[in-house]
């Protein structure tokens, strides 16, 4: 999670919402990313999506079985679906997102019977640091 937090800090320095993500398999980091929606002019360039794309490229596959994703914020519906489609084994996330989350909040995608793949989910990992990054970022914007 420390690497994901570092990516979130880099995203904040670029003016992006500070969310970071890291894809790991067998203890090896395959990809790491922060939000890039502003830089890429792409509403889908959330940290999770960018990291998943890079990991898929690194492995030469559209699926990431046996891979774990560390992300600083509970994934939104788009990212939760991408995690499922990529067949991520485990999802570790930091801060819960009562407004935009889709794992433990909101639509709770993985609890829906139509969800084809459900990763093991572990929330609250590095939560205080992740929440502080987000809180400070938005406080400074106001």
């Amino acid at each position: 999670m420390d690497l994901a937090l570092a990516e979130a800090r880099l995203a904040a320095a670029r003016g992006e919402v500070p969310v970071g993500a890291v894809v790991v398999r067998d203890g090896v980091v395959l990809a790491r990313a922060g939000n890039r929606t502003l830089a890429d002019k792409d509403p889908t360039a959330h940290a999770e999506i960018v990291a998943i794309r890079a990991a898929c490229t690194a492995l030469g596959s559209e699926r990431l079985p046996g891979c774990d994703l560390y992300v600083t914020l509970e994934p939104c519906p788009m990212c939760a679906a991408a995690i499922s489609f990529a067949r991520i084994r485990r999802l570790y996330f930091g801060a819960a997102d009562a407004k935009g989350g889709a794992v433990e909040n909101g639509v709770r995608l993985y609890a829906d019977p139509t969800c084809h793949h459900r990763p093991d989910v572990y929330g609250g990992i590095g939560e205080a640091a992740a929440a502080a990054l987000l809180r400070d970022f938005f406080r400074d914007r106001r």
Side-chain angles (χ1 to χ4, degrees):
M1 188 58 80
D2 289 337
L3 293 175
L5 287 164
E7 289 296 325
R9 287 184 197 97
L10 290 171
R14 295 190 306 270
E16 302 275 1
V17 174
V19 177
V22 178
V23 178
V24 177
R25 184 170 75 176
D26 298 327
V28 176
V29 174
L30 297 176
R32 52 193 287 176
N35 273 356
R36 297 196 49 84
T37 59
L38 299 174
D40 293 355
K41 310 271 188 283
D42 179 356
T44 69
H46 290 194
E48 301 95 309
I49 302 287
V50 175
I52 287 170
R53 287 175 180 159
C56 286
T57 298
L59 294 178
S61 175
E62 78 283 7
R63 301 253 167 88
L64 300 172
C67 292
D68 301 331
L69 176 68
Y70 294 81
V71 63
T72 58
L73 181 64
E74 177 182 357
C76 71
M78 173 183 70
C79 293
I83 290 163
S84 177
F85 293 144
R87 305 299 193 263
I88 294 287
R89 175 179 58 181
R90 293 185 197 109
L91 166 64
Y92 299 91
F93 72 86
D97 187 352
K99 185 176 178 182
V103 177
E104 292 182 350
N105 291 284
V107 299
R108 296 182 177 163
L109 181 73
Y110 305 137
D112 191 289
T114 63
C115 183
H116 296 293
H117 172 77
R118 295 164 186 82
D120 295 332
V121 176
Y122 304 90
I125 311 298
E127 181 175 15
L133 269 174
L134 288 159
R135 196 171 36 253
D136 293 348
F137 177 82
F138 287 111
R139 182 193 64 228
D140 293 346
R141 295 273 183 257
R142 293 183 187 124

